[in-house]
Amino acid sequence: GIVFSWFMSNIFNMLNPDPVKQQKLETLRYVVDFLRKNEIPQETAARVLLYFRKSSGFNLDDNKIFCTMPTALRSEILDFLFSSTVRCVPVFTEQDDQFVTELCLCTTAVVTTQWELFYRRGDIAEDMFIVEGGSM
């Protein structure tokens, strides 16, 4: 009797998964893929995973991952991802680490396809773009 009911409840859970648990698992999969894709250092990645395991589940994209993290963790990752690119810009070469970190906190990665317009001659500048690869 007990084994049969355990077996039946497991089958029921497999057929009708808890949507909250499913969402949390999907979020964790996305975060792990993000960490691997960006080659985040193992120690930082472990702290990111710990944070997301403790938090409630929600759908994410790369920018939402950053927005939901505590500021210190977010700065560490954004620093890792963007500081070397920012320092390649002549005006930022001599800036101190704190300035570059603050700038990285304001940074959003934008990936465009060939011929995609994101700025036109004569547009009023509201953003600054640093081209990491490709050309304009």
Side-chain angles (χ1 to χ4, degrees), residues 42-59:
Q42 189 172 1
E43 183 180 308
T44 303
R47 292 197 346 260
V48 170
L49 285 173
L50 180 64
Y51 169 77
F52 279 100
R53 282 188 181 119
K54 290 182 177 182
S55 66
S56 59
F58 35 79
N59 287 326

Side-chain angles (χ1 to χ4, degrees), residues 1-82:
I2 293 174
V3 172
F4 179 73
S5 69
W6 172 82
F7 180 73
M8 290 307 291
S9 69
N10 280 338
I11 288 177
F12 179 76
N13 286 336
M14 285 175 22
L15 296 175
N16 297 313
D18 179 2
V20 174
K21 285 182 183 177
Q22 289 297 105
Q23 178 132 12
K24 191 162 185 166
L25 284 173
E26 189 60 35
T27 297
L28 285 173
R29 277 190 217 109
Y30 189 90
V31 170
V32 167
D33 288 344
F34 169 82
L35 295 170
R36 283 188 185 137
K37 174 180 71 176
N38 290 291
E39 299 175 356
I40 302 298
Q42 189 172 1
E43 183 180 308
T44 303
R47 292 197 346 260
V48 170
L49 285 173
L50 180 64
Y51 169 77
F52 279 100
R53 282 188 181 119
K54 290 182 177 182
S55 66
S56 59
F58 35 79
N59 287 326
L60 298 174
D61 60 30
D62 288 358
N63 292 325
K64 286 182 183 174
I65 286 176
F66 295 128
C67 293
T68 60
M69 280 186 214
T71 305
L73 195 52
R74 183 175 52 207
S75 352
E76 188 175 338
I77 290 176
L78 290 172
D79 229 12
F80 174 79
L81 292 175
F82 301 124

Side-chain angles (χ1 to χ4, degrees), residues 82-122:
F82 301 124
S83 65
S84 60
T85 301
V86 168
R87 288 201 181 279
C88 288
V89 178
V91 74
F92 301 130
T93 305
E94 299 298 321
Q95 297 298 324
D96 63 15
D97 291 342
Q98 183 178 355
F99 177 86
V100 172
T101 297
E102 290 295 322
L103 192 57
C104 288
L105 280 169
C106 302
T107 304
T108 303
V110 177
V111 178
T112 62
T113 58
Q114 186 176 12
W115 308 113
E116 183 177 352
L117 292 175
F118 59 93
Y119 176 79
R120 292 184 183 169
R121 186 183 315 237

